[in-house]
Amino acid sequence: MADGSLFVVSAPAGCGKDTILNELFKKTDMAGYAVSATTRSPREGEVNGVHYHFLTRAEFEGKIKNGEVLEYTDYCGNYYGTLRKSVEDVLSSGKHAILKIEVEGAMNIKKQFPEAVLVFILPPSWEVLEKRLRTRGTETEDKIIERTRQARAEVTFAKNYDYLIVNDDLDAAVDDLLSVLNAERLRCVNNDALLSKFADE
Ligand code: 5GP
Protein backbone atom coordinates (compact mmCIF):
# COMPACT_ATOMS: atom_id res chain seq x y z
CA MET A 1 0.00 0.00 0.00
CA ALA A 2 1.24 3.50 -0.81
CA ASP A 3 2.29 5.58 2.15
CA GLY A 4 -0.17 8.34 3.02
CA SER A 5 0.61 11.91 1.96
CA LEU A 6 -0.23 15.24 3.46
CA PHE A 7 -2.81 17.30 1.55
CA VAL A 8 -3.80 20.85 2.29
CA VAL A 9 -7.08 22.17 0.91
CA SER A 10 -7.76 25.90 1.10
CA ALA A 11 -10.47 28.12 -0.31
CA PRO A 12 -12.09 31.42 0.51
CA ALA A 13 -15.53 31.28 2.16
CA GLY A 14 -18.26 30.55 -0.36
CA CYS A 15 -16.13 28.37 -2.66
CA GLY A 16 -17.72 25.15 -1.47
CA LYS A 17 -14.71 23.61 0.24
CA ASP A 18 -16.72 21.80 2.94
CA THR A 19 -19.21 20.39 0.44
CA ILE A 20 -16.43 19.18 -1.87
CA LEU A 21 -14.64 17.43 0.99
CA ASN A 22 -17.84 15.85 2.32
CA GLU A 23 -18.56 14.44 -1.13
CA LEU A 24 -14.95 13.31 -1.50
CA PHE A 25 -15.11 11.30 1.73
CA LYS A 26 -18.30 9.60 0.46
CA LYS A 27 -16.48 8.56 -2.72
CA THR A 28 -13.20 7.32 -1.32
CA ASP A 29 -11.72 5.97 1.85
CA MET A 30 -8.13 6.61 0.76
CA ALA A 31 -8.16 9.96 2.55
CA GLY A 32 -9.08 11.01 6.06
CA TYR A 33 -9.70 14.40 7.58
CA ALA A 34 -7.14 15.58 10.12
CA VAL A 35 -9.36 17.30 12.68
CA SER A 36 -8.07 20.76 13.64
CA ALA A 37 -8.40 22.47 17.00
CA THR A 38 -10.12 25.82 17.43
CA THR A 39 -11.16 28.19 20.16
CA ARG A 40 -14.28 29.30 18.29
CA SER A 41 -17.66 28.06 19.51
CA PRO A 42 -19.26 25.11 17.75
CA ARG A 43 -21.84 26.01 15.09
CA GLU A 44 -25.16 24.20 14.99
CA GLY A 45 -24.59 20.57 14.04
CA GLU A 46 -20.85 20.60 14.68
CA VAL A 47 -19.55 17.77 16.82
CA ASN A 48 -16.48 17.98 19.06
CA GLY A 49 -13.75 15.71 17.74
CA VAL A 50 -15.41 15.37 14.33
CA HIS A 51 -15.53 18.88 12.86
CA TYR A 52 -13.03 20.39 15.27
CA HIS A 53 -11.56 19.81 18.67
CA PHE A 54 -13.18 22.73 20.46
CA LEU A 55 -10.76 24.07 23.07
CA THR A 56 -10.53 26.99 25.46
CA ARG A 57 -7.76 29.51 24.79
CA ALA A 58 -5.86 28.15 27.80
CA GLU A 59 -6.12 24.58 26.50
CA PHE A 60 -5.02 25.68 23.03
CA GLU A 61 -2.06 27.64 24.38
CA GLY A 62 -1.08 24.62 26.50
CA LYS A 63 -0.96 22.48 23.35
CA ILE A 64 1.19 25.08 21.56
CA LYS A 65 3.59 25.08 24.50
CA ASN A 66 3.78 21.27 24.51
CA GLY A 67 4.62 21.13 20.80
CA GLU A 68 1.32 19.42 19.96
CA VAL A 69 0.38 21.97 17.28
CA LEU A 70 2.06 21.83 13.85
CA GLU A 71 0.85 25.28 12.82
CA TYR A 72 -1.74 27.71 14.07
CA THR A 73 -3.21 31.04 13.23
CA ASP A 74 -5.41 33.68 14.77
CA TYR A 75 -8.32 33.94 12.35
CA CYS A 76 -11.12 36.40 13.09
CA GLY A 77 -10.19 36.48 16.77
CA ASN A 78 -9.97 32.73 17.31
CA TYR A 79 -7.12 30.26 17.28
CA TYR A 80 -7.19 27.53 14.64
CA GLY A 81 -4.44 24.93 14.54
CA THR A 82 -3.35 21.62 13.12
CA LEU A 83 -2.80 19.00 15.80
CA ARG A 84 0.21 16.76 15.27
CA LYS A 85 -1.78 13.82 16.67
CA SER A 86 -4.70 14.32 14.25
CA VAL A 87 -2.33 14.13 11.30
CA GLU A 88 -0.41 11.14 12.69
CA ASP A 89 -3.65 9.24 13.40
CA VAL A 90 -4.79 9.55 9.78
CA LEU A 91 -1.39 8.80 8.26
CA SER A 92 -0.82 5.76 10.48
CA SER A 93 -4.11 4.32 9.24
CA GLY A 94 -2.51 4.26 5.78
CA LYS A 95 -4.62 7.12 4.41
CA HIS A 96 -3.81 10.50 2.95
CA ALA A 97 -4.34 13.20 5.59
CA ILE A 98 -6.37 16.20 4.48
CA LEU A 99 -5.91 19.50 6.28
CA LYS A 100 -8.65 22.04 5.61
CA ILE A 101 -6.80 25.19 6.56
CA GLU A 102 -6.43 28.83 5.53
CA VAL A 103 -3.62 30.22 3.40
CA GLU A 104 -1.09 31.18 6.05
CA GLY A 105 -1.39 27.79 7.72
CA ALA A 106 -0.95 26.19 4.31
CA MET A 107 2.29 28.11 3.67
CA ASN A 108 3.49 27.14 7.12
CA ILE A 109 2.79 23.43 6.45
CA LYS A 110 4.60 23.62 3.09
CA LYS A 111 7.64 25.09 4.83
CA GLN A 112 7.74 22.28 7.39
CA PHE A 113 6.69 19.52 4.98
CA PRO A 114 7.87 20.42 1.46
CA GLU A 115 6.38 17.18 0.14
CA ALA A 116 2.85 18.25 1.23
CA VAL A 117 0.44 18.70 -1.68
CA LEU A 118 -1.41 22.01 -1.67
CA VAL A 119 -4.77 22.36 -3.39
CA PHE A 120 -6.58 25.67 -3.78
CA ILE A 121 -10.26 25.82 -4.66
CA LEU A 122 -11.35 28.82 -6.72
CA PRO A 123 -14.82 30.12 -7.52
CA PRO A 124 -15.75 30.32 -11.23
CA SER A 125 -15.52 34.13 -11.01
CA TRP A 126 -15.66 36.96 -8.50
CA GLU A 127 -19.25 37.64 -9.56
CA VAL A 128 -20.32 34.08 -8.79
CA LEU A 129 -18.54 34.12 -5.44
CA GLU A 130 -20.22 37.36 -4.39
CA LYS A 131 -23.57 35.98 -5.48
CA ARG A 132 -22.97 32.82 -3.44
CA LEU A 133 -22.06 34.87 -0.39
CA ARG A 134 -25.23 36.91 -0.83
CA THR A 135 -27.56 33.95 -1.31
CA ARG A 136 -26.44 32.48 2.00
CA GLY A 137 -28.80 35.15 3.28
CA THR A 138 -27.36 35.17 6.78
CA GLU A 139 -24.84 37.95 6.26
CA THR A 140 -25.20 41.71 6.48
CA GLU A 141 -23.97 43.86 3.57
CA ASP A 142 -20.87 44.86 5.59
CA LYS A 143 -20.07 41.21 6.26
CA ILE A 144 -20.47 40.35 2.57
CA ILE A 145 -18.09 43.17 1.59
CA GLU A 146 -15.61 42.04 4.27
CA ARG A 147 -15.77 38.41 3.13
CA THR A 148 -15.33 39.42 -0.52
CA ARG A 149 -12.27 41.48 0.42
CA GLN A 150 -10.90 38.59 2.47
CA ALA A 151 -11.50 36.20 -0.46
CA ARG A 152 -9.51 38.46 -2.79
CA ALA A 153 -6.63 38.56 -0.30
CA GLU A 154 -6.69 34.75 0.08
CA VAL A 155 -6.71 34.17 -3.70
CA THR A 156 -3.40 36.07 -4.01
CA PHE A 157 -1.83 33.00 -2.34
CA ALA A 158 -3.24 30.57 -4.93
CA LYS A 159 -0.11 30.80 -7.12
CA ASN A 160 1.90 29.16 -4.32
CA TYR A 161 -0.27 26.03 -4.36
CA ASP A 162 0.41 22.87 -6.36
CA TYR A 163 -3.09 22.43 -7.83
CA LEU A 164 -6.01 24.71 -8.63
CA ILE A 165 -9.57 23.44 -8.80
CA VAL A 166 -12.42 25.64 -10.01
CA ASN A 167 -15.69 24.82 -8.31
CA ASP A 168 -18.03 25.46 -11.18
CA ASP A 169 -19.75 22.12 -10.94
CA LEU A 170 -19.67 20.15 -7.67
CA ASP A 171 -19.25 16.68 -9.19
CA ALA A 172 -16.46 17.86 -11.48
CA ALA A 173 -14.67 19.57 -8.60
CA VAL A 174 -14.86 16.42 -6.46
CA ASP A 175 -13.55 14.35 -9.38
CA ASP A 176 -10.70 16.82 -9.86
CA LEU A 177 -9.71 16.48 -6.21
CA LEU A 178 -9.96 12.72 -6.48
CA SER A 179 -7.63 12.85 -9.49
CA VAL A 180 -5.07 14.77 -7.45
CA LEU A 181 -5.27 12.15 -4.68
CA ASN A 182 -4.93 9.33 -7.19
CA ALA A 183 -1.96 10.93 -8.92
CA GLU A 184 -0.24 11.24 -5.57
CA ARG A 185 -1.04 7.62 -4.76
CA LEU A 186 0.77 6.52 -7.92
CA ARG A 187 3.92 8.59 -7.45
CA CYS A 188 7.16 6.66 -7.22
CA VAL A 189 8.23 8.42 -4.05
CA ASN A 190 5.08 7.19 -2.32
CA ASN A 191 5.51 3.56 -3.27
CA ASP A 192 8.61 2.27 -1.50
CA ALA A 193 6.97 -1.04 -0.64
CA LEU A 194 6.00 -1.68 -4.27
CA LEU A 195 9.47 -0.79 -5.52
CA SER A 196 11.19 -3.04 -3.02
CA LYS A 197 8.91 -5.93 -4.01
CA PHE A 198 10.44 -5.74 -7.49
CA ALA A 199 13.95 -4.84 -6.46
CA ASP A 200 16.79 -7.23 -7.29
CA GLU A 201 17.34 -9.73 -4.51
P1 5GP B 1 -14.43 28.11 10.09
O1 5GP B 1 -14.58 28.94 11.34
O2 5GP B 1 -15.30 28.65 8.98
O3 5GP B 1 -14.65 26.65 10.34
O4 5GP B 1 -12.92 28.25 9.60
C1 5GP B 1 -12.35 29.49 9.34
C2 5GP B 1 -11.06 29.29 8.55
O5 5GP B 1 -10.08 28.66 9.38
C3 5GP B 1 -11.21 28.42 7.31
O6 5GP B 1 -10.50 29.03 6.23
C4 5GP B 1 -10.56 27.14 7.72
O7 5GP B 1 -10.03 26.44 6.60
C5 5GP B 1 -9.45 27.65 8.61
N1 5GP B 1 -8.91 26.61 9.49
C6 5GP B 1 -9.56 25.56 10.03
N2 5GP B 1 -8.72 24.81 10.76
C7 5GP B 1 -7.49 25.36 10.64
C8 5GP B 1 -6.20 25.01 11.15
O8 5GP B 1 -5.98 24.02 11.82
N3 5GP B 1 -5.18 25.85 10.83
C9 5GP B 1 -5.35 26.95 10.06
N4 5GP B 1 -4.28 27.69 9.79
N5 5GP B 1 -6.56 27.31 9.56
C10 5GP B 1 -7.61 26.53 9.85
Side-chain angles (χ1 to χ4, degrees), residues 31-34 85-98:
Y33 176 50
K85 185 168 185 315
S86 294
V87 175
E88 284 172 358
D89 284 351
V90 178
L91 292 179
S92 65
S93 70
K95 296 185 181 190
H96 294 315
I98 298 199

Side-chain angles (χ1 to χ4, degrees), residues 88-137:
E88 284 172 358
D89 284 351
V90 178
L91 292 179
S92 65
S93 70
K95 296 185 181 190
H96 294 315
I98 298 199
L99 314 184
K100 190 180 64 180
I101 64 181
E102 52 65 64
V103 291
E104 279 170 22
M107 297 302 102
N108 201 332
I109 289 289
K110 189 73 180 178
K111 222 177 277 164
Q112 295 181 62
F113 306 96
E115 70 286 3
V117 180
L118 269 52
V119 181
F120 197 94
I121 298 171
L122 289 159
S125 65
W126 290 124
E127 290 73 27
V128 172
L129 180 65
E130 204 175 318
K131 206 162 144 203
R132 284 184 191 164
L133 289 174
R134 279 180 197 286
T135 48
R136 282 180 169 189

Side-chain angles (χ1 to χ4, degrees), residues 9-13 17-18 33-38 40-41 43 46 51-52 60 69 71-76 78-83 99-106 108-109 147 150 154:
V9 177
S10 303
K17 172 179 56 172
D18 291 346
Y33 176 50
V35 182
S36 288
T38 184
R40 83 149 161 76
S41 314
R43 297 193 187 118
E46 285 185 333
H51 298 94
Y52 281 107
F60 199 107
V69 181
E71 62 73 36
Y72 70 97
T73 192
D74 196 324
Y75 185 92
C76 300
N78 285 299
Y79 283 136
Y80 290 83
T82 304
L83 297 176
L99 314 184
K100 190 180 64 180
I101 64 181
E102 52 65 64
V103 291
E104 279 170 22
N108 201 332
I109 289 289
R147 281 186 182 267
Q150 167 112 15
E154 289 178 30

Side-chain angles (χ1 to χ4, degrees), residues 1-3 183-196:
M1 184 178 23
D3 309 319
E184 198 61 17
R185 181 177 61 83
L186 300 175
R187 287 188 65 193
C188 236
V189 291
N190 293 328
N191 282 283
D192 286 349
L194 184 59
L195 284 173
S196 51

Side-chain angles (χ1 to χ4, degrees), residues 36 59 68 78 112 142 176 201:
S36 288
E59 285 168 338
E68 295 175 56
N78 285 299
Q112 295 181 62
D142 280 357
D176 283 347
E201 318 254 295

